[in-house]
Amino acid sequence: MRFVRRADWGAPATSAAAYIASTRGVKVHYLGAPYTSRAHSRCAAYVRTLRAAHLANPRENYSDIAYNLLVCEHGYVFEGRGAHRRTGANGNFTLNSNHYAVCALLGDEGLTKPTDAQLGGIRDAIEYLRDKGDAGDEILGHRDGYATACPGPDLYAWVKKGAPRPGRPTVSLTAVVYGATHRAADERKHPQYADDVARVQDALVARKRLAAGGFTRGIFDPQTKTAYAAEQRSQGYSGADADGVPGRTSLTSLGDGRFTVTT
């Protein structure tokens, strides 16, 4: 992740925003105003200008730039309020407490479609807030729960897909958990899940947990479940936590460099 700390873009090292222990997840935003594509050398200046505008807004009474993190078109993640700080961007006190806010430097005119580098940076920001800020699994748009067009049609469509990392396949946690907890006959009623299960199987084969050809491809069969339990044990899980049913953390670790985990 290409991370730009507050002090490096010209803000005080620590935000004055209120502390927050954890959130349900992250909401994705855009600027909702015209924005022009620019060289990366000018992005820090724009973030400074945005913070100044927020601080000068008497109606909102912001204590800092509204967002926890911001991501430019070049994929750099700028530290706004940062982790463990309540956002000011989601619409009201409750919404601001429930989710962090990540803002793409993207407009409703000018630069309106996110670049692949920017999408990768937003994904980096989400994972950073999970790791450093105890963010939960939810990935939503600003418009979810608040009457707004934010984060715009293109970015919101990506959010609804689970915010996959560009250029990398996705695996749905829902799909593989369903497979691991249902009979093969039930799984076959959901053929759309087969690709997700197959990607997990390929990763297990690569880890030498599962013998190539020794399983039913696209079905989370007993051999796959046994192999997944071995993978969980290798990650330090034991007992009921190593039962062969994927969890987000173990699945993310298994997919590192191979696939992105979505809901």
Side-chain angles (χ1 to χ4, degrees):
M1 179 173 67
R2 293 174 291 186
F3 193 71
V4 184
R5 297 194 178 277
R6 289 173 58 88
D8 293 332
W9 60 262
T14 302
S15 175
Y19 174 84
I20 188 169
S22 62
T23 68
R24 295 178 186 174
V26 175
K27 284 192 171 179
V28 177
H29 295 244
Y30 76 158
L31 296 166
Y35 183 79
T36 304
S37 178
R38 64 199 65 212
H40 179 63
S41 60
R42 296 173 56 207
C43 290
Y46 183 86
V47 176
R48 288 194 298 273
T49 298
L50 189 61
R51 180 175 186 266
H54 286 183
L55 290 174
N57 187 327
R59 183 172 64 86
E60 296 290 353
N61 193 29
Y62 290 121
S63 62
D64 198 350
I65 193 168
Y67 308 104
N68 297 95
L69 300 172
L70 304 94
V71 183
C72 72
E73 64 192 276
H74 314 282
Y76 286 76
V77 179
F78 288 80
E79 184 182 25
R81 296 186 177 202
H84 290 299
R85 299 288 175 175
R86 189 170 61 236
T87 184
N90 289 337
N92 59 45
F93 182 88
T94 299
L95 295 172
N96 290 338
S97 299
N98 286 344
H99 295 85
Y100 290 117
V102 173
C103 182
L105 298 188
L106 198 69
D108 56 6
E109 295 179 23
L111 182 64
T112 61
K113 293 187 177 182
T115 64
D116 280 354
Q118 190 167 45
L119 295 177
I122 297 170
R123 187 74 211 188
D124 287 340
I126 291 167
E127 292 171 6
Y128 175 88
L129 289 169
R130 287 174 174 172
D131 181 45
K132 303 296 185 182
D134 291 318
D137 291 342
E138 292 182 352
I139 305 174
L140 302 173
H142 183 194
R143 68 176 69 178
D144 293 314
Y146 191 76
T148 176
C150 184
D154 294 290
L155 194 52
Y156 189 62
W158 176 75
V159 168
K160 294 297 285 182
K161 291 177 183 177
R165 190 172 290 279
R168 189 178 296 175
T170 62
V171 167
S172 164
L173 180 62
T174 298
V176 295
V177 169
Y178 183 92
T181 55
H182 287 74
R183 300 174 304 169
D186 293 324
E187 281 191 81
R188 290 189 175 93
K189 296 176 184 177
H190 297 276
Q192 72 273 23
Y193 290 171
D195 287 346
D196 300 84
V197 173
R199 289 180 185 123
V200 171
Q201 291 169 324
D202 289 343
L204 290 169
V205 169
R207 291 278 182 96
K208 302 188 184 305
R209 313 278 182 225
L210 187 61
F215 57 92
T216 305
R217 187 170 177 79
I219 297 292
F220 212 110
D221 59 12
Q223 294 87 344
T224 302
K225 192 169 182 178
T226 297
Y228 198 91
E231 172 65 22
Q232 288 170 319
R233 290 193 295 274
S234 78
Q235 294 185 26
Y237 296 98
S238 61
D241 293 327
D243 59 359
V245 178
R248 178 176 288 278
T249 301
S250 64
L251 189 61
T252 299
S253 178
L254 175 64
D256 186 27
R258 301 183 67 92
F259 55 75
T260 297
V261 178
T262 64
T263 54

